[in-house]
């Protein structure tokens, strides 16, 4: 007599389902972390203020206040900033000539500073910062 | 006749041990994130184009209260450059990324010296920003 094969239905154990679900929740929570991790690279020339002071006078200068930007002393609306910078930098081929000196008033907000420095880089300029307190102050006597 | 009470051997089930170990592992990995600054409150500024910052060991943050933090820990401006230099060590160019997270309303008085300190420490600066939506 031929014996019938013992084909039993094998079910996966369901005890671990809860653990698997919990691990999946943890995994997706970690993945969905809202911390931003992308942005913009910025190369700043090393500060050698004293030695380069003379050179900087030939460079384009951008002065930022809380809401305005002035290029070489002229107040420029934000939408005209990019074409103006492109024009000023167009004839300059050497990297040191393409340095744009950014001076900011102490109350200039970061969001505005980022916007303007982004435009400078888009125009082909290299941003360098000149801080207010670094300006030469002559004391009489 | 007195029937002796049955003694059942109670054992801790060992099936879940692997899962428990795995969960503990995840828990400590999350805790041990070297530069975790997720507890700090700040809003990124927006820009048109953003790119991935890549791997980094150093994260500098100015929060909404204008307090400076290095890898999630409060730090003074005067200690920033030497500490960043120390953390970067002898890392080659391209592996010296320092991410800078500045609250969008922070003022030049606070963020400019920080940018200068990072530059002085020889870090490759990456501003962490949000992509501007049209």
């Amino acid at each position: 007599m031929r014996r019938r094969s013992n084909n039993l239905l094998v079910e996966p154990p369901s005890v671990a389902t809860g653990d698997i679900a919990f691990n999946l929740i943890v995994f997706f929570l970690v993945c969905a972390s809202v911390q931003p991790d992308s942005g913009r690279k910025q190369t700043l020339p090393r500060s050698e203020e004293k030695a380069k002071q003379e050179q900087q006078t030939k460079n384009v200068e951008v002065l930022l206040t809380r809401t305005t930007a002035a290029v070489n002393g002229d107040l420029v609306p934000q939408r005209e900033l990019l074409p103006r910078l492109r024009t000023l930098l167009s004839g300059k081929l050497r990297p040191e000539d393409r340095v744009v000196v950014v001076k900011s008033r102490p109350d200039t907000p970061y969001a505005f500073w980022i916007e303007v420095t982004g435009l400078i880089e888009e125009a082909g300029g290299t941003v360098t910062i000149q801080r207010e307190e670094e300006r030469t102050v002559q004391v009489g006597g | 006749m007195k029937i002796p009470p049955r003694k059942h051997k109670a054992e801790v089930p060992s099936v879940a041990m692997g899962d428990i170990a795995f969960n503990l592992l995840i828990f400590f990995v999350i805790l041990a994130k070297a530069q975790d600054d997720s507890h700090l409150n700040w809003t990124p500024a927006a820009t048109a184009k953003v790119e991935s910052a890549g791997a980094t060991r150093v994260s500098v943050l100015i929060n909404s209260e204008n307090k400076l933090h290095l890898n999630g820990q409060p730090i003074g401006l005067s200690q920033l450059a030497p500490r960043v230099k120390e953390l970067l060590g002898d890392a080659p160019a391209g592996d010296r990324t320092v991410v800078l997270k500045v609250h969008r309303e922070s003022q030049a008085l606070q963020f400019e010296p920080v940018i200068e300190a990072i530059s002085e420490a020889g870090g490759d600066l990456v501003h962490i920003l949000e992509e501007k939506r049209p």
Side-chain angles (χ1 to χ4, degrees), chain B residues 112-130:
Chain B
E112 278 194 338
V114 173
I115 293 172
E116 206 173 62
I118 295 169
S119 172
E120 193 190 314
D124 299 331
L125 184 65
V126 178
H127 295 267
I128 297 297
L129 304 165
E130 194 178 51

Side-chain angles (χ1 to χ4, degrees), chain B residues 76-90:
Chain B
L77 182 63
S78 57
Q79 296 131 37
L80 186 65
R83 280 289 294 132
V84 171
K85 206 177 241 178
E86 196 185 310
L87 287 168
L88 291 173
D90 297 327

Side-chain angles (χ1 to χ4, degrees), chain A residues 1-21:
Chain A
M1 197 178 107
R2 211 174 137 197
R3 271 185 78 182
R4 286 175 67 190
S5 63
N6 206 4
N7 274 345
L8 293 173
L9 191 67
V10 179
E11 275 188 27
S14 57
V15 226
T17 316
D19 295 310
I20 295 166

Side-chain angles (χ1 to χ4, degrees), chain A residues 7-141:
Chain A
N7 274 345
L8 293 173
L9 191 67
V10 179
E11 275 188 27
S14 57
V15 226
T17 316
D19 295 310
I20 295 166
F22 181 69
N23 281 320
L24 283 172
I25 290 170
V26 171
F27 175 76
F28 285 109
L29 270 182
V30 172
C31 284
S33 157
V34 284
Q35 282 285 308
D37 61 349
S38 52
R40 201 178 75 205
K41 284 182 186 170
Q42 191 170 53
T43 314
L44 292 165
R46 288 267 190 144
S47 46
E48 294 162 49
E49 299 303 324
K50 297 278 184 294
K52 301 252 171 164
Q53 215 138 46
E54 213 164 293
Q55 169 70 33
Q56 280 182 1
T57 54
K58 296 171 199 162
N59 290 121
V60 177
E61 204 177 279
V62 175
L63 177 69
L64 300 180
T65 66
R66 197 165 168 76
T67 50
T68 63
V71 180
N72 288 342
D74 299 330
L75 212 61
V76 179
Q78 215 176 315
R79 62 179 184 282
E80 289 170 27
L81 209 54
L82 185 60
R84 174 72 71 95
L85 287 165
R86 275 193 178 137
T87 313
L88 288 167
L89 294 168
S90 61
K92 297 180 173 178
L93 301 170
R94 293 186 311 162
E96 58 265 38
D97 293 335
R98 300 185 77 85
V99 168
V100 177
V101 182
V102 177
K103 295 176 185 177
S104 311
R105 290 272 176 262
D107 62 347
T108 307
Y110 179 70
F112 184 56
W113 188 91
I114 274 292
E115 212 162 325
V116 174
T117 53
L119 292 173
I120 293 170
E121 281 169 4
E122 205 180 323
T126 308
V127 174
T128 187
I129 299 169
Q130 190 178 338
R131 281 167 59 200
E132 290 235 316
E133 60 197 53
E134 280 174 3
R135 285 178 197 157
T136 314
V137 179
Q138 284 188 336
V139 184

Side-chain angles (χ1 to χ4, degrees), chain B:
Chain B
M1 197 179 101
K2 198 179 168 188
I3 300 164
R6 279 185 194 172
K7 280 182 185 169
H8 289 287
K9 218 178 180 182
E11 275 182 18
V12 181
S14 56
V15 218
M17 282 299 176
D19 295 310
I20 294 167
F22 183 64
N23 280 320
L24 283 171
L25 196 75
I26 292 178
F27 176 73
F28 285 110
V29 162
I30 294 169
L31 274 191
K33 269 174 80 180
Q35 56 190 53
D36 187 31
D37 47 23
S38 51
H39 59 288
L40 298 168
N41 186 26
W42 71 289
T43 313
T47 191
K49 265 190 283 177
V50 289
E51 52 186 281
S52 174
T56 176
R57 280 180 269 183
V58 189
S59 164
V60 180
L61 190 145
I62 300 175
N63 69 0
S64 53
E65 290 163 6
N66 287 322
K67 298 263 164 50
L68 182 62
H69 295 81
L70 174 66
N71 287 346
Q73 301 299 314
I75 192 170
L77 182 63
S78 57
Q79 296 131 37
L80 186 65
R83 280 289 294 132
V84 171
K85 206 177 241 178
E86 196 185 310
L87 287 168
L88 291 173
D90 297 327
D95 198 20
R96 302 181 66 85
T97 306
V98 176
V99 292
L100 177 63
K101 301 170 181 181
V102 182
H103 181 63
R104 54 174 298 120
E105 296 300 326
S106 278
Q107 299 182 337
L109 190 68
Q110 277 96 34
F111 68 78
E112 278 194 338
V114 173
I115 293 172
E116 206 173 62
I118 295 169
S119 172
E120 193 190 314
D124 299 331
L125 184 65
V126 178
H127 295 267
I128 297 297
L129 304 165
E130 194 178 51
E131 193 162 14
K132 211 182 256 181
R133 286 180 191 140

